[in-house]
Amino acid sequence: MKPAPFDLTTARDAAEAAALTGDGSPEARIVAGGQSLGPMLNLRLARPAHLVDISRAADLRAVTDEGDRLLYGAAVTHAEIEDGAVPDATGGWLREIAGRIAYRAVRNRGTLGGSLVHADPAADWVVTLTALGAEAVVADPAGAVRVEPLATFIAGPFATTLRRGEILTGVRIAKRGPQARWGYWKFTRKVGEFAKASAAVLIDDRTGEVRLVAGAIERPPILLPDAGAVLSGTLSAEEALRRALPDRPARTLALHAVALREAIDIAAGRPHRGAA
Amino acid sequence: MNAVTLRVNDRTVSAEVEPRTHLADFLREDQLLTGTHVGCEHGVCGACTLMVDGRPVRSCLTFAASCADAEVRTIESFDEDPLMGRLRAAFSRRHALQCGFCTPGMLVTAYDIVRRLPDADEVRIREELAGNLCRCTGYAGIVEAIRDVLADPVPAAVQPIPRTGPEPRTVASGRTRADPPVAPDPASRFPDPFGAIEDGVTLGRSIPFDLPPDRLWELVKRIDAVVACLPGAKLAGPPEGDVLDGTFMVAIGPIRATFAGKAAVGFDEAARSGTVRGRGGDTRSRSSADGAMDFRVVPDGSGGSRVEVELTYRLKGPLAQFGRPAIVSGVIDRLLSDFAANFSALARGEPAAAAAPAGGIGLVLGALLARLRKTIGW
């Protein structure tokens, strides 16, 4: 199908994009790669009056080294991360995650920020960047910047805390040292489709962070509260998930438990290869 | 219309395009380059895959107006390309095509595999091909053909072009025509009786209220009050007996849908329980929803009460693929939470806070809620 008519404006930078989607244009939406919004437009499920294309906004395509952290511009593509065209704060995890998102043709246009703003609960970045403790960097049309942990930025299925006129300009990810270990596992019936269950694990012996995240649930990814007990084997993955998601059917929890165990196994066998 | 200048198969092309025109349609219909095929048109089948700036992309998910100064290569431009010639020969030799519909996209993806993954084994080849669907060959011949070329490759003449590129330009355009107004769905399109919901998804919820059970039950029976507390819900008119007629607007991310439909409501005074059954449709997305809701007011043991709700729904049509149970469930939780807050405020004699459409009440719930409105209190 073809989309309903809309206007399309290319924004040169984040400020212009925020201004174009601000008060004057209630039906405006930002589009970067368009790999999530595009299908909804083609199916006419979404009918914005105005699209603002940020895919070539230079300031949104930069990666800035902030010392102990990297700030990834929102319009960096999955393929650029996959190919190592931009530095990897985790020494390999981001590349590996990026390389398994959808298909190469989608990764060539789809962006990091677009995936987070779309906030599909099953999306790979939504889950893994929550495990990494990443932060969303948001700007409003006046240029004011706020920073919010991804764990709260993702407010629900397809929902974020972005307000009108605000745009996600980037994602801040802490650099990980060689002690960091990680694992991500997702269940899909076909390569490239959205996960039915997923889990991400981060164990950083240097910072003491231990995060177990269950993804592809009906809400934002959840951080399991009893991570240490699950890792030490005193609490089963099934029980930890059942406590965290008491309303989910047993068969669903079983699949998520598989994802969690697989991700833990991967993390156990995979020391970090050193900071980029 | 937007003015755009781009390179197509080594030719500079300047054109006026509607902003909504996909690159695939621009190439096929304006440039008469019909080698690019259009299949699913939502990024799943891969038939429209071609090269933009030397990288494979979905041309059904790429707007022509966004391709200013881009270098576009369709299958037609690979006639003299040595690597593509090698792939074409291997596809022929290995019977890697039958009807040929997927072949242009397959060849572009194959080119990318050979160029980018010289060490790909069969498993990797199959993974890389997952985004290109073929309904004839079973892929065996395609995989063999790519393996042949990987075993004896020639250098790829087409390589990715760095993305930095020229300064992007603003290509503001006038809207070419207004969307026609959407006529409200005649309720008669979704008539009673509501059939059984087969293959539905069931969700259970318990909503606490700081109200004594008697008071809550009296409020619940006021359908108008209940509907007023449901973000996005609107009755078409006063309830006729136990039948409600109304609309329910839902918003999930960029999706907006307005379900119009009917619902029947029943109450059981003795059990302080009720049931709502309904059906609705959204004309814009050509999607429909069936739903049933059973609810019961129970004391919570400490002076308050709660409503226990069980919802069953089924979505049909294009919205169904975005209304997977996990997402609908989350959306419903937010809806119920807003509803409970509004309803509690109402009970205290305060105005409801949320008049805005639900930021995500279930797609499916639309129908249920429409019924509910009718049922509960209006």
Coordinates of all heavy atoms in Angstrom, one line a residue, chain A residues 90 93-94 96-98 101 112 116 121-134 150 173 182-185 198-202 211 213 215 221:
Chain A
T90 N 31.6 -0.9 24.4 CA 31.6 -2.2 25.1 C 32.7 -3.1 24.5 O 32.7 -4.3 25.0 CB 30.3 -2.8 25.0 OG1 30.0 -3.2 23.6 CG2 29.2 -1.9 25.5
W93 N 30.1 -5.7 22.2 CA 28.7 -6.1 22.4 C 27.8 -5.3 21.5 O 26.9 -5.9 20.8 CB 28.3 -5.8 23.9 CG 27.1 -6.6 24.3 CD1 26.5 -7.6 23.6 CD2 26.3 -6.4 25.4 NE1 25.4 -8.0 24.2 CE2 25.2 -7.3 25.4 CE3 26.4 -5.5 26.5 CZ2 24.2 -7.4 26.4 CZ3 25.4 -5.6 27.5 CH2 24.3 -6.5 27.5
L94 N 28.0 -4.0 21.4 CA 27.2 -3.2 20.5 C 27.2 -3.8 19.1 O 26.2 -3.9 18.4 CB 27.5 -1.8 20.6 CG 27.5 -1.1 21.9 CD1 27.8 0.4 21.8 CD2 26.1 -1.3 22.6
E96 N 27.9 -6.7 18.1 CA 27.2 -8.0 17.9 C 25.7 -7.8 17.9 O 25.0 -8.5 17.2 CB 27.7 -8.9 19.1 CG 27.3 -10.4 18.8 CD 28.1 -11.3 19.8 OE1 29.3 -11.2 19.8 OE2 27.4 -12.0 20.5
I97 N 25.2 -7.0 18.8 CA 23.8 -6.7 18.9 C 23.3 -6.1 17.5 O 22.3 -6.6 16.9 CB 23.4 -5.7 20.0 CG1 23.8 -6.3 21.4 CG2 21.9 -5.4 20.0 CD1 23.2 -7.6 21.7
A98 N 24.0 -5.1 17.1 CA 23.6 -4.4 15.8 C 23.5 -5.4 14.7 O 22.6 -5.3 13.9 CB 24.6 -3.3 15.5
I101 N 20.1 -7.3 14.2 CA 18.9 -6.6 14.1 C 18.3 -6.8 12.7 O 19.0 -6.5 11.7 CB 19.0 -5.1 14.4 CG1 19.5 -4.9 15.8 CG2 17.8 -4.3 14.1 CD1 19.9 -3.5 16.2
L112 N 19.9 3.9 15.6 CA 19.9 3.6 17.1 C 18.8 4.4 17.8 O 17.9 3.9 18.5 CB 21.2 4.0 17.6 CG 21.5 3.9 19.1 CD1 21.4 2.4 19.5 CD2 22.9 4.4 19.4
L116 N 15.0 3.3 19.6 CA 14.7 3.6 21.0 C 13.4 4.5 21.1 O 12.5 4.2 22.0 CB 15.8 4.4 21.7 CG 17.1 3.5 21.8 CD1 18.2 4.4 22.4 CD2 16.9 2.3 22.7
P121 N 8.8 -3.0 22.6 CA 9.3 -3.7 23.8 C 10.2 -4.9 23.4 O 11.0 -5.3 24.2 CB 8.1 -4.3 24.5 CG 6.9 -3.5 24.0 CD 7.3 -3.1 22.6
A122 N 10.1 -5.4 22.2 CA 11.0 -6.5 21.8 C 12.2 -6.1 21.0 O 13.0 -6.9 20.6 CB 10.2 -7.5 20.9
A123 N 12.4 -4.8 20.9 CA 13.6 -4.3 20.1 C 14.9 -4.6 20.8 O 15.0 -4.5 22.0 CB 13.4 -2.8 19.8
D124 N 15.9 -5.0 20.0 CA 17.2 -5.4 20.6 C 17.8 -4.2 21.4 O 18.4 -4.4 22.5 CB 18.1 -5.8 19.5 CG 17.6 -7.0 18.8 OD1 17.6 -8.1 19.3 OD2 17.1 -6.8 17.7
W125 N 17.9 -3.0 20.9 CA 18.5 -1.9 21.6 C 17.8 -1.6 22.9 O 18.4 -1.2 23.9 CB 18.6 -0.6 20.7 CG 19.6 -0.7 19.6 CD1 19.3 -0.3 18.3 CD2 20.9 -1.1 19.6 NE1 20.4 -0.5 17.5 CE2 21.4 -1.0 18.3 CE3 21.8 -1.5 20.6 CZ2 22.8 -1.3 18.0 CZ3 23.1 -1.9 20.3 CH2 23.6 -1.7 19.0
V126 N 16.5 -1.6 22.8 CA 15.7 -1.3 24.0 C 16.1 -2.2 25.2 O 16.3 -1.7 26.3 CB 14.2 -1.4 23.7 CG1 13.3 -1.4 25.0 CG2 13.7 -0.3 22.8
V127 N 16.3 -3.5 24.9 CA 16.7 -4.4 25.9 C 18.1 -4.3 26.3 O 18.5 -4.2 27.5 CB 16.3 -5.9 25.5 CG1 16.7 -6.9 26.6 CG2 14.9 -5.9 25.1
T128 N 19.0 -4.3 25.4 CA 20.4 -4.4 25.7 C 20.9 -3.1 26.3 O 21.8 -3.1 27.2 CB 21.3 -4.8 24.5 OG1 21.0 -3.9 23.4 CG2 21.0 -6.2 24.1
L129 N 20.4 -1.9 25.8 CA 20.9 -0.7 26.4 C 20.4 -0.4 27.8 O 21.0 0.3 28.6 CB 20.6 0.5 25.4 CG 21.3 0.5 24.1 CD1 21.0 1.7 23.3 CD2 22.8 0.3 24.3
T130 N 19.3 -1.1 28.1 CA 18.8 -1.0 29.5 C 19.8 -1.8 30.4 O 20.1 -1.3 31.5 CB 17.4 -1.6 29.6 OG1 16.5 -0.8 28.8 CG2 16.9 -1.6 31.0
A131 N 20.2 -2.9 29.9 CA 21.2 -3.7 30.7 C 22.5 -2.9 30.9 O 23.2 -3.0 31.9 CB 21.5 -5.0 30.0
L132 N 22.9 -2.1 29.8 CA 24.1 -1.4 29.9 C 24.0 -0.1 30.7 O 25.0 0.6 30.9 CB 24.6 -1.0 28.5 CG 25.4 -2.1 27.8 CD1 25.6 -1.7 26.3 CD2 26.7 -2.3 28.5
G133 N 22.8 0.2 31.2 CA 22.6 1.4 32.0 C 22.8 2.7 31.1 O 23.2 3.7 31.6
A134 N 22.4 2.6 29.9 CA 22.6 3.8 29.0 C 21.6 4.9 29.3 O 20.6 4.7 30.1 CB 22.3 3.3 27.5
L150 N 17.7 5.1 30.4 CA 16.9 4.4 29.4 C 15.8 3.7 30.1 O 14.7 3.5 29.6 CB 17.7 3.5 28.5 CG 17.2 3.3 27.1 CD1 17.1 4.6 26.4 CD2 18.1 2.3 26.4
I173 N 26.6 6.0 26.5 CA 26.9 4.7 27.0 C 28.3 4.7 27.7 O 29.3 5.1 27.1 CB 26.9 3.6 25.8 CG1 25.5 3.7 25.1 CG2 27.2 2.2 26.3 CD1 25.4 2.8 23.9
W182 N 29.2 -10.0 29.3 CA 27.8 -9.7 28.8 C 27.3 -10.8 28.0 O 28.0 -11.7 27.5 CB 27.8 -8.4 28.0 CG 28.9 -8.3 27.0 CD1 30.1 -7.5 27.2 CD2 29.1 -8.9 25.7 NE1 30.9 -7.7 26.1 CE2 30.3 -8.5 25.2 CE3 28.3 -9.7 25.0 CZ2 30.8 -8.9 23.9 CZ3 28.7 -10.1 23.7 CH2 29.9 -9.7 23.2
G183 N 26.0 -10.9 27.9 CA 25.3 -11.9 27.1 C 24.0 -11.4 26.7 O 23.3 -10.6 27.4
Y184 N 23.6 -11.7 25.5 CA 22.2 -11.4 25.0 C 21.7 -12.6 24.2 O 22.4 -13.2 23.4 CB 22.3 -10.2 24.1 CG 20.9 -9.8 23.5 CD1 19.9 -9.4 24.3 CD2 20.7 -9.8 22.1 CE1 18.7 -9.0 23.8 CE2 19.5 -9.4 21.6 CZ 18.5 -9.0 22.4 OH 17.2 -8.6 21.9
W185 N 20.5 -12.9 24.5 CA 19.9 -14.1 23.7 C 18.5 -13.8 23.4 O 17.8 -13.2 24.3 CB 20.0 -15.4 24.6 CG 19.8 -16.6 23.8 CD1 20.7 -17.3 23.1 CD2 18.5 -17.3 23.7 NE1 20.1 -18.4 22.6 CE2 18.8 -18.5 22.9 CE3 17.2 -17.1 24.1 CZ2 17.8 -19.4 22.5 CZ3 16.2 -18.0 23.7 CH2 16.5 -19.1 22.9
S198 N 13.5 -12.3 25.1 CA 14.9 -12.0 25.1 C 15.4 -11.7 26.5 O 14.6 -11.4 27.4 CB 15.1 -10.8 24.1 OG 14.5 -9.6 24.7
A199 N 16.7 -11.7 26.6 CA 17.3 -11.4 27.9 C 18.7 -10.8 27.7 O 19.4 -11.3 26.7 CB 17.4 -12.6 28.8
A200 N 19.1 -9.9 28.5 CA 20.4 -9.3 28.4 C 21.0 -9.4 29.8 O 20.4 -9.1 30.8 CB 20.3 -7.9 27.9
V201 N 22.3 -9.7 29.8 CA 23.0 -9.8 31.1 C 24.3 -9.0 31.0 O 25.0 -9.0 30.0 CB 23.4 -11.3 31.4 CG1 24.3 -11.4 32.6 CG2 22.1 -12.1 31.5
L202 N 24.5 -8.2 32.1 CA 25.8 -7.4 32.2 C 26.4 -7.7 33.6 O 25.7 -7.6 34.6 CB 25.6 -5.9 32.0 CG 26.8 -5.1 32.4 CD1 27.8 -5.1 31.2 CD2 26.4 -3.6 32.7
R211 N 23.5 -6.8 36.1 CA 22.1 -6.5 35.6 C 21.6 -7.7 34.8 O 22.3 -8.1 33.8 CB 22.1 -5.2 34.8 CG 22.4 -4.0 35.5 CD 21.7 -2.8 34.8 NE 22.2 -1.5 35.4 CZ 23.3 -0.9 35.0 NH1 23.9 -1.3 34.0 NH2 23.7 0.2 35.6
V213 N 18.3 -8.5 32.6 CA 17.1 -7.8 32.0 C 16.3 -8.8 31.2 O 16.9 -9.5 30.4 CB 17.6 -6.6 31.1 CG1 16.4 -6.0 30.4 CG2 18.3 -5.6 31.9
G215 N 13.5 -9.0 28.4 CA 12.9 -8.2 27.3 C 11.8 -8.9 26.5 O 11.5 -10.1 26.8
P221 N 11.5 -3.2 29.3 CA 12.3 -4.3 29.8 C 12.4 -4.1 31.3 O 12.5 -3.0 31.8 CB 13.7 -4.1 29.2 CG 13.5 -3.1 28.1 CD 12.2 -2.4 28.3

